């Protein structure tokens, strides 16, 4: 690919999915896990990651928005689609594309906690630590990135670029 703004290639992501998938497989032996993907950004990561987890598992999705079409988080989290399956006494792994301010995940974690799961872990493909405003514990992290706006592999700008198989700086 001759795009000079590519930050993370498809190959690097596949390798990471294998590594994190193996870690989760080891950490959750004998557990009843539900992967909760956060739409829409996590779709590609969710698909590649779950293929690498060698356990019986269930998946669900939530849609949450704090961005609109802006590059800066509005700080307001809105649930657009809730989970459908019961998570009480289950081990939940939230699968996110990127953690920036942390607002979305902090909100989501406390929201899901009210449903009494056995545990909640967080798995994100990308982490932008410089953007953090709210502390969140990330259990599984793919790559740290600088505070630049990135798109591709599920991540969008104004709903575009999600279909790129790699991650690039906008
Ligand atoms: P937070 O609440 O600020 O942590 O926002 C996290 C959400 O913002 C992610 O799930 C993404 O949807 C979006 N986001 C943050 N940074 C970027 C970026 O660089 N590109 C695309 N989306 C981003
Ligand atoms: Mg998102």
């Amino acid at each position: 690919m001759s795009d000079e703004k590519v930050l993370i290639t498809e190959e690097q992501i596949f390798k990471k999915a294998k590594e994190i998938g193996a870690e989760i497989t080891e950490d959750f032996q004998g557990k009843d896990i539900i992967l909760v993907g956060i739409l829409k950004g996590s779709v590609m990561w969710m698909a590649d990651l779950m293929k690498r987890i060698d356990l019986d598992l269930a998946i669900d999705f939530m849609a949450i928005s704090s961005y609109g079409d802006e590059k800066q988080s509005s700080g307001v989290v809105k649930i657009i689609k809730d989970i459908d399956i019961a998570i009480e006494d289950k081990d939940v792994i939230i699968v996110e594309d990127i953690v920036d301010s942390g607002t979305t995940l902090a909100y989501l974690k406390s929201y899901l906690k009210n449903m009494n799961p056995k545990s909640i872990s967080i798995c994100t493909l990308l982490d932008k630590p410089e953007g953090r405003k709210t502390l969140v514990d990330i259990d599984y992290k793919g790559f740290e990135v600088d505070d630049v706006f990135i798109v591709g592999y599920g991540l969008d700008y104004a709903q575009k670029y999600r279909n790129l198989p790699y991650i690039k700086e906008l």
Side-chain angles (χ1 to χ4, degrees):
M1 198 53 62
S2 63
D3 192 325
E4 72 281 5
K5 287 196 160 177
V6 173
L7 288 180
I8 305 169
T9 65
E10 197 175 19
E11 289 70 29
Q12 286 175 290
I13 298 170
F14 287 168
K15 187 164 170 264
K16 196 62 83 175
K18 252 189 185 172
E19 286 168 14
I20 295 179
E23 258 185 84
I24 291 175
T25 302
E26 203 179 301
D27 294 349
F28 288 86
Q29 289 292 324
K31 304 261 173 83
D32 212 349
I33 66 175
I34 301 181
L35 304 181
V36 176
I38 310 307
L39 296 172
K40 305 168 195 167
S42 75
V43 281
M44 284 205 196
W45 177 230
M46 178 79 152
D48 285 328
L49 177 69
M50 69 181 185
K51 283 183 278 190
R52 302 300 177 185
I53 301 175
D54 188 17
L55 297 170
D56 284 332
L57 57 78
I59 67 165
D60 205 344
F61 291 95
M62 281 185 89
I64 276 208
S65 163
S66 70
Y67 259 61
D69 284 347
E70 308 296 327
K71 286 187 189 176
Q72 285 300 308
S73 175
S74 64
V76 180
V77 178
K78 199 168 67 174
I79 294 183
I80 295 164
K81 184 216 167 290
D82 210 334
I83 48 171
D84 303 318
I85 56 182
I87 60 168
E88 192 170 347
D89 287 331
K90 313 272 182 181
D91 292 289
V92 172
I93 304 174
I94 299 174
V95 179
E96 184 53 303
D97 51 356
I98 183 166
V99 184
D100 183 15
S101 70
T103 310
T104 308
L105 275 181
Y107 174 83
L108 199 57
K109 210 173 168 179
S110 70
Y111 179 81
L112 292 176
K113 225 176 189 166
N114 282 330
M115 300 178 183
N116 300 315
K118 189 177 280 170
S119 70
I120 304 179
S121 310
I122 290 174
C123 172
T124 185
L125 173 64
L126 300 154
D127 180 22
K128 256 191 210 177
E130 285 169 53
R132 203 71 89 251
K133 289 183 187 133
T134 309
L135 224 65
V136 279
D137 287 330
I138 299 174
D139 302 277
Y140 304 96
K141 178 198 298 196
F143 304 91
E144 279 192 7
V145 291
D146 293 337
D147 200 10
V148 291
F149 201 81
I150 53 181
V151 294
Y153 194 76
L155 286 91
D156 73 308
Y157 175 58
Q159 301 301 331
K160 282 172 59 189
Y161 307 104
R162 292 193 197 277
N163 57 321
L164 294 177
Y166 50 85
I167 289 166
K168 71 166 195 170
E169 192 181 332
L170 190 64

